[in-house]
Amino acid sequence: MATKKISDLERFSSIETGDFFLVINTGTRTPKKIAVEDAIFTDRGTVNTRYRFSRNSLEGFNNSVSVQTGDFSENSIYSTPETVRFTGFTGGANTALNSTYSLSGIQNDNLAWSSGNFSIVKSGSEAYWNLNSGSSGLFKFSSGLTYPNFGPINLLNSTGGSSGVNESGVVSFQTKSSSTPIFFSQISPVTGLFESTCNFPIESFESADINFSYSTQTFPSSNSGNLSFNADNSNISSGQKSAATSIIGTGLTQTIFTLGVTGLQVTKLVESGSGVFGNFSFNNYLNSGVSITNSPVVTGIVTNDSVDLQNTKPSISFRSLDIDNDGLVTTGVDLTLLDRYFNGTTGNALITGLSFSGSGVRSGFADIQNFIQSGIDLNGYDVNEDGFVGSDDINFILNFGSGSGVPIAGRNAMKSGQLQSNISTMYNV
């Protein structure tokens, strides 16, 4: 067995099991004998991985990466209505406004809704929206400055003055969907607007770096510098899902944006392993790009937190869940009454087995039926704000009352926090 200097350890192949070297502490002049394998040993698997990595391309990756819209609903503040219905207008406004309007796109640097020949569009930077017939403005009505505060609506006359037409209406129906624009707060960066799923023809100890290309457009374009879009350059293994893009707004009042992934580039292959001394990574740099056909696009609205977000929501008069009027909302009485009535139980059977006590308590089945029905007629239990009280709304209320949160189904593209906030309002009316 030979004694070797550290400077002699030029090649792993020259070291034999059992070899050692001496380390001398320069302060105490104390020598220490250390086995060579304890100092430089790397396990066989890592060595094999290192020398096995030799390919210069990643064949077939073009069809192995898919990009899709991410699931970011819980990061959003509010979903833009896809359809909105106005009712309650009479006289000159009756024909024009009492209709259902569908989201038609972006006009005048803001969202627009249309119904036949009529359209609702933002009027510049002023605090009202136009109801147009073709290119002619019929009415102007006050609303949110940019993102619409639909209802109640106070109409102005066709020239924008404060006299003349003096009517008001309400929003009686609206729907949302996962494809409609999402309202974001600039204080909370959103990641995962797009996600990529990668099924590369690579082995378990390999991965690839993906750099996504994307296109953006902002409305108004003057606010484009206030939005920051980031495309993640992630180290992704086969079959792994990764967030492709993120967004944050800074210093803007409100900006609408569209963001789409247009392509990707595989910048390098990475082979990794581990040994006694930690992790090892070997890189093979590439320059392989591909465009994505039918690339997904997300439209959203970013605002700063000085905007009163509650005022961007439709005006809904929620009904109290204290159905028996005893000052408390209980699952044993109030929510039981609501559940029974909504599912068809009426008459004396509605209150059978329930106890009522206290002055001013609503205990007769007739009074209880009338109270609940009037709440249904006024959409006072419309938790998901889709324009009517349905089984989804009752399920939300019952689940919330039992402490189970709110179900996934029937949300009308709303966050669970928004739904719970609406139910909490009903508890405190």
Side-chain angles (χ1 to χ4, degrees), residues 52-62 200-203 206-208 266-271 283-289:
R52 187 167 54 208
F53 188 77
S54 61
R55 60 168 144 162
N56 296 315
S57 65
L58 183 60
E59 297 178 359
F61 82 90
N62 290 23
F200 298 115
I202 55 181
E203 300 183 51
E206 294 178 330
S207 60
V266 180
T267 57
K268 66 180 177 180
L269 286 175
V270 181
E271 184 169 300
N283 301 327
N284 189 359
Y285 291 91
L286 306 171
N287 187 23
S288 302

Side-chain angles (χ1 to χ4, degrees), residues 102-375:
S102 299
L103 185 64
S104 57
I106 299 172
Q107 297 182 39
N108 299 339
D109 288 336
N110 215 285
L111 300 176
W113 284 257
S114 63
S115 175
N117 292 326
F118 301 112
S119 61
I120 299 173
V121 294
K122 184 70 173 58
S123 179
S125 60
E126 300 182 56
Y128 55 77
W129 289 61
N130 281 344
L131 176 70
N132 292 338
S133 176
S135 59
S136 301
L138 297 180
F139 298 101
K140 298 179 179 181
F141 55 88
S142 301
S143 186
L145 295 180
T146 45
Y147 180 87
N149 177 8
F150 281 141
I153 299 168
N154 296 314
L155 282 173
L156 304 175
N157 67 17
S158 59
T159 60
S162 58
S163 61
V165 177
N166 184 18
E167 302 183 50
S168 63
V170 297
V171 175
S172 64
F173 180 87
Q174 73 163 359
T175 60
K176 311 178 190 73
S177 75
S178 59
S179 62
T180 56
I182 305 298
F183 203 38
F184 295 111
S185 166
Q186 62 131 323
I187 202 171
S188 302
V190 178
T191 59
L193 287 177
F194 297 99
E195 295 176 339
S196 61
T197 302
C198 309
N199 294 306
F200 298 115
I202 55 181
E203 300 183 51
S204 60
F205 52 83
E206 294 178 330
S207 60
D209 271 13
I210 300 294
N211 189 14
F212 294 95
S213 303
Y214 58 94
S215 62
T216 63
Q217 190 170 7
T218 59
F219 308 89
S221 59
S222 59
N223 280 351
S224 60
N226 293 322
L227 294 179
S228 175
F229 300 93
N230 299 308
D232 293 349
N233 186 8
S234 302
N235 188 251
I236 303 173
S237 302
S238 179
Q240 187 177 17
K241 181 177 289 187
S242 174
T245 53
S246 60
I247 178 176
I248 184 172
T250 56
L252 67 157
T253 301
Q254 181 171 286
T255 301
I256 296 176
F257 71 88
T258 59
L259 173 67
V261 177
T262 59
L264 56 95
Q265 184 179 60
V266 180
T267 57
K268 66 180 177 180
L269 286 175
V270 181
E271 184 169 300
S272 59
S274 60
V276 172
F277 291 102
N279 299 324
F280 298 83
S281 180
F282 311 103
N283 301 327
N284 189 359
Y285 291 91
L286 306 171
N287 187 23
S288 302
V290 62
S291 61
I292 299 175
T293 58
N294 300 321
S295 59
V297 176
V298 165
T299 300
I301 306 168
V302 178
T303 180
N304 64 27
D305 284 339
S306 65
V307 176
D308 184 353
L309 300 178
Q310 288 299 114
N311 284 339
T312 68
K313 298 174 64 174
S315 178
I316 297 177
S317 298
F318 291 118
R319 193 57 169 245
S320 173
L321 288 173
D322 182 15
I323 294 173
D324 65 356
N325 199 38
D326 68 349
L328 298 172
V329 178
T330 63
T331 57
V333 176
D334 299 297
L335 301 191
T336 298
L337 289 169
L338 180 65
D339 187 26
R340 285 181 179 181
Y341 183 77
F342 188 82
N343 286 287
T345 302
T346 58
N348 195 60
L350 180 64
I351 60 175
T352 298
L354 303 180
S355 299
F356 304 91
S357 61
S359 59
V361 168
R362 189 181 295 113
S363 59
F365 68 80
D367 289 341
I368 290 174
Q369 287 178 180
N370 291 336
F371 181 83
I372 298 176
Q373 185 60 52
S374 64

